[in-house]
Amino acid sequence: MQSSTQISKLDPSPAAKTAKDSQFNLKKLIENYINDVNKHEFEFFVSSVKQKQSSADFLTKLLKELRHLVDRLDPNKFDNSFINVLFYEIKWTEHSTNKAILDALCEFLIDLNSAYTSYVHKCLGMMIKMFTLTKDNNVDCENMFSLAHKMIQNLVKIAPTSKSHIIKLCESIYPYMIKDTAVQEAFIKNLLKLADQFKDLRLTILEICVQKLLKIDVNSTREQIAETEIPNDDQLLQESVPEENAPKAMKHPLADRLDVKMSCLFEYIRQKCLDPETKELSWESCKSIYKDLLFTFDKYILFTYGSSHVQFVMFYICSFRTLLSEGFLDYLWKKFNATSSCAITKQICSYYIGSYLARAKYIPITTCVATLQLMVTWIHNYIEKNANTSNASNFDLHRTFYALCQTVFYVVIFRNRQLFNTGNGSENSKMTELVKSWKLNEIISSKLNPLKYCLPTVRKKFARITYVNQIAYCYTIIDTNSRTSLPISGQSSLNLQMFFSNQSDSFGSKNENSKNVSFLDNPLDSFFPFDPYLLIRSKNYIEKVYVEFKDIFSEYMDESSEEDDEEEEDEVSENDYDSDDDNDSSVETDMDTEESDDFKTFRMKIKKNTKLNSNFFDSDLEDSMDK
């Protein structure tokens, strides 16, 4: 090993000359290093490279000379320290506007990896690391991003098996959720661009994005966001008026990062579904991204406890065509009916069905009624089999039944204007007759007593609506239940939070600040996955297709029971019932105005206008989707 005394005696001028006239000396330096001759001279040269990395001429000449010496850089013989300096220690971003240096770098890396594919992994890491760049310090991010994507494509051509490295590196380099919003935005945008370049990697990349989004989502609860974002009087006085059309940052740091990243994902979905020129639906592309998102939803989102916003990716993409929304409902209903699904899975699916039918403005009333018909039929069959058994009072045994009953009640509340329209049209009267044929009164008066386990506000509002429209009579049952407080057998054996715990732990969610609802108020651990969307910027993609609740029955207060007269306008869930007076936020959507001859024809039309009994992935439905 060279002593420090000997190193100090070295004249720095040869090294300087080497840097300037590398075509004569760099080759010799590398050969001497490989042959263990004067290694200290090469080490001195490496240190000089670090010092002179800000010199554009120096780096350009160095890269061009190295390109002719790649055959000498065999990783089995040549020490990796110099390559690591080139990959990781030189700040190439300082030259982000210098085309000559960037071109020379690309040419050198392509030649190096063509000669020795063992460098591909390091080079990929160098490129993917560039995805975290922001516009700070006068960096031309677009140039660096373009360089990174170009190099990744070239590296995959050189070593096709390196695609597996791309996925691992994307996961490992992905910025942690506390990183700056600009870094988060840059990285997810580049990942989605990478998904476009490599179609076979798109599903895996979407999985990575969704997992990271979920991690932020479950660590920024609805309660925390609402508490942070709703200003008090002092804050209103201090805040300045934002510029028109300027994006508004959220005060909650995690919510702000989630907001920006959800906007990126929504915009990616929009670009995949709509033709960039005509803005018309690109059906094949839309269908393809839908299947990838549905797979990701099934694998990650459905069973993630505490997620409030990420599930809206399905809500949004289904808005592009009715067949997609029917496919999503078909998926949820079949998962609910699957013999392999446990009780909690069925319960979760029922909540998703109810919240989706209630909140999606683009779902036609025919599809909604057809889905309700399926649920009501299942409920009546269940009552017929179980109401007279000795286990009728076992709450846990019938959790699925109670969850689905509450789902039906919840949808009826939101869709009451279409179901019980007061107009004189024959179509409206036939719709009411169809609802009456569901025999909701028999459901609520069965021995299983579903009203007992509903959320209080669902129970009260459903009672009011059905009373006014003479569909069912709930108040006697509600009064009886309020005077009866019997213990529920096995009430703690199944619990959604326990079921979700394994999933949420993987995302680091503790939800310590979540509102604790007592068992008596929420015995089914009910939740509504499509509760109002709270993220400010990305909300623009959702609000046009989203139904805000508006209570239209205040005029019927005198017609309801005395208990109902004292009712407060509390919410079904944390932010479910919004008292918005805007006409655009009404539950009402367009009715199907096609005339029918009789009630039987009307019922057949309802069934005909839905594909819920078909498998979305079956070839026959694929054919219909193509049309």
Side-chain angles (χ1 to χ4, degrees), residues 1-16:
M1 183 174 182
Q2 191 72 18
S3 67
S4 59
T5 303
Q6 290 174 311
I7 293 177
S8 64
K9 291 180 180 180
L10 289 174
D11 184 2
S13 58

Side-chain angles (χ1 to χ4, degrees), residues 101-111 147 150-151 154:
I101 289 184
L102 298 184
D103 288 345
L105 177 62
C106 284
E107 292 169 354
F108 165 67
L109 292 177
I110 290 172
D111 288 348
L147 168 70
K150 178 182 176 181
M151 277 305 307
N154 287 325

